[in-house]
Amino acid sequence: MTTTTRFQTRPLVRAVALAGLPLVTMGSGSALAQGSELEELRQRVQQLESRLEVPAESKMEEENNYLRRDGNGIRIGSTTVTIGGFIKADVLAGSNGNGWENAYSVGLARSFANAAKNGESDWKTGFSARETRLSLATKTLDVAGHDLTTYLEMDFNQGADAPGNEVVSNSYAPRLRQAYGSWNNWDFGQTHTTFSELAALPEILDQGKQAAFIYTRQPMVRYNMAAPGGKLMVALENPEDGFGSNSYDDQSYPDLVARYQLRNSYGIYSIAGLLRSLEDDAADETEVTGAVSVSARIPTVGRDDLKLQYNYGALGRYIGLFTYPDVDLAAQAGGDVKPLKSYGATAAYRHHWNPNWRSTLSVSHLEIVDDLEASPAGTLSYFDTSTSVHANLLWSAHPKLTLGLEYAYWDFGEIATSSREQYEQVMGSATLRF
């Protein structure tokens, strides 16, 4: 909507009109004729005033063409800047004595497995706002003939041993999630791996924290090109074959990733391949291996959808938020580089009860398919299978406001035995976007 700013012209116009009033009224033979002439004069004065009105936007451009609103952001010169993000407040009650140590809400499967096996029976409660995110995006038109966009995203969800405490201040430092730029079909920087299809990511409150979904971010160089029915993405991404905070940094070659995405009225479908070089300088050995992933988001009834993902190969750190290492650690200690093969499957159905209420039921399973040489030392964990189930109810009174309640159940199968351990949690969350 365009607003207008009126110049102070009315006194001048009215003075001119009144000065000519005797000339207009001279010779009028009746009061009726005089009234008609006055009404006509008023209309002419109003028309003159409307012509002198100037749009406020034009006036602002004259005063400052460097900074102005442009769509959803602020235009600074030729660049539009958009600030976004959300405040996320969570409360969690976890079984087996797990109440978010130091408000740690990353939700690693290994952390849940340790809680499931610790022998405690009490439920513990924790509160956190550390998944709050802040983003800054820019778009600059016509940079060497192409638009240039950048995106920066941070949250506060660092490790359990990160500086900060719940005693007094609950203060935590920000961490980098994404930082990348795009130009002429190229992407440069850190974002979600090309190996995963985020359109198939289930909508759960503990986002990405399930047994077998690929939810990895890392630096890369990627090229995007049009392909029949969709697009093809090819990327060189940061290589890594460590475990937890133990990084070997022995890689000579980047991870090579390619994904083909098909989009149509029947949904979104992707197939991806990963080629990796796993190295160990101490053993002086290199192993080239890989993995595949297929994903889909299929519309069903009304606004409902079904989300699917299946993965197989040397998945390692790429799947389940690093549930298993990239190599058999026991074999590596003996001088061999042996990729640890696994498979994972995730299925989620989202149902919209009405325009404001919706639910997701998600089931995810991850399992090691290789025989371990020295179990469980080869994985630094006691389990070779993990299964997660999430069920939630979400209410969105507005696209920028979502309140939700979610129940999660985890099951862990112990290596070389028939024993199983379980973990449960209930999570409430409020997400306020800006």
Side-chain angles (χ1 to χ4, degrees):
M1 181 178 68
T2 302
T3 58
T4 59
T5 301
R6 296 179 180 271
F7 290 106
Q8 299 299 320
T9 57
R10 291 186 176 181
L12 176 61
V13 173
R14 287 173 177 166
V16 173
L18 292 174
L21 184 59
L23 297 177
V24 175
T25 57
M26 188 177 297
S28 298
S30 66
L32 180 62
Q34 183 177 354
S36 176
E37 294 293 342
L38 284 172
E39 181 62 28
E40 182 180 353
L41 180 60
R42 290 193 186 96
Q43 293 178 1
R44 290 180 179 180
V45 170
Q46 291 175 358
Q47 291 175 0
L48 180 59
E49 288 178 342
S50 65
R51 292 176 182 176
L52 292 175
E53 290 177 350
V54 180
E57 182 179 356
S58 300
K59 184 175 183 291
M60 184 180 70
E61 289 182 10
E62 293 176 0
E63 295 176 351
N64 183 5
N65 193 36
Y66 185 71
L67 174 62
R68 69 171 182 174
R69 293 188 179 276
D70 186 357
N72 293 324
I74 301 296
R75 202 181 90 175
I76 305 176
S78 61
T79 299
T80 299
V81 180
T82 305
I83 298 175
F86 56 77
I87 303 297
K88 189 167 186 286
D90 300 317
V91 56
L92 177 145
S95 66
N96 303 87
N98 179 40
W100 278 352
E101 179 184 357
N102 201 22
Y104 186 47
S105 57
V106 169
L108 301 178
R110 299 192 309 273
S111 301
F112 295 154
N114 292 336
K117 199 174 174 62
N118 68 10
E120 294 187 28
S121 59
D122 293 341
W123 283 60
K124 302 294 184 180
T125 301
F127 288 73
S128 175
R130 297 177 64 185
E131 286 195 80
T132 293
R133 293 183 194 172
L134 177 64
S135 65
L136 179 69
T138 70
K139 181 177 181 179
T140 305
L141 302 178
D142 192 18
V143 176
H146 302 277
D147 293 348
L148 186 151
T149 62
T150 65
Y151 183 76
L152 175 66
E153 181 181 80
M154 297 179 293
D155 68 8
F156 306 85
N157 205 17
Q158 299 191 38
D161 57 349
N165 64 81
E166 299 182 33
V167 179
V168 177
S169 64
N170 286 269
S171 54
Y172 299 97
R175 68 163 188 168
L176 181 67
R177 283 180 54 87
Q178 299 188 74
Y180 68 92
S182 302
W183 178 83
N184 192 20
N185 297 323
W186 288 91
D187 300 325
F188 306 93
Q190 177 171 308
T191 185
H192 293 276
T193 177
T194 311
F195 193 49
S196 184
E197 175 58 80
L198 293 183
L201 179 66
E203 186 182 23
I204 62 174
L205 295 181
D206 219 3
Q207 189 182 67
K209 289 78 171 179
Q210 47 214 324
F213 199 85
I214 296 175
Y215 198 61
T216 300
R217 298 180 303 274
Q218 58 192 12
M220 68 184 69
V221 176
R222 179 168 61 199
Y223 185 72
N224 310 275
M225 67 191 79
K231 65 178 180 178
L232 176 65
M233 294 150 277
V234 180
L236 296 177
E237 304 191 6
N238 183 56
E240 179 58 66
D241 63 358
F243 186 84
S245 60
N246 184 7
S247 176
Y248 302 128
D249 289 329
D250 297 322
Q251 302 77 28
S252 299
Y253 308 100
D255 290 357
L256 175 61
V257 189
R259 177 162 59 95
Y260 170 66
Q261 182 192 72
L262 175 67
R263 285 176 174 259
N264 53 41
S265 59
Y266 298 102
I268 302 174
Y269 303 86
S270 287
I271 181 169
L274 167 67
L275 187 65
R276 315 176 63 190
S277 175
L278 304 179
E279 306 175 27
D280 181 36
D281 288 346
D284 192 23
E285 186 174 350
T286 300
E287 185 76 21
V288 177
T289 186
V292 295
S293 175
V294 292
S295 306
R297 187 176 76 188
I298 307 169
T300 57
V301 180
R303 299 174 61 193
D304 294 5
D305 56 42
L306 176 65
K307 299 179 179 181
L308 304 169
Q309 187 179 85
Y310 178 81
N311 315 285
Y312 177 85
L315 298 165
R317 66 185 180 85
Y318 277 87
I319 193 167
L321 296 179
F322 211 171
T323 299
Y324 301 124
D326 294 294
V327 298
D328 186 328
L329 299 181
Q332 185 186 51
D336 295 325
V337 175
K338 181 182 178 182
L340 197 61
K341 300 289 183 65
S342 61
Y343 78 88
T346 301
Y349 190 85
R350 179 170 59 176
H351 174 65
H352 289 260
W353 303 100
N354 59 43
N356 301 113
W357 292 87
R358 63 190 183 276
S359 294
T360 291
L361 175 62
S362 174
V363 180
S364 189
H365 178 80
L366 177 62
E367 184 170 343
I368 297 175
V369 298
D370 287 340
D371 292 329
L372 300 175
E373 293 187 2
S375 60
T379 65
L380 293 181
S381 185
Y382 71 86
F383 62 95
D384 59 0
T385 69
S386 65
T387 303
S388 65
V389 178
H390 292 76
N392 61 39
L393 179 63
L394 309 181
W395 175 66
S396 295
H398 186 276
K400 293 185 178 296
L401 172 65
T402 299
L403 306 179
L405 185 65
E406 181 173 274
Y407 170 78
Y409 175 87
W410 288 77
D411 180 85
F412 304 96
E414 295 191 24
I415 298 174
T417 74
S418 59
S419 298
R420 312 193 72 85
E421 305 291 345
Q422 289 77 39
Y423 169 78
E424 299 174 85
Q425 72 176 27
V426 176
M427 181 176 183
S429 180
T431 304
L432 303 89
R433 301 182 180 276
F434 54 90

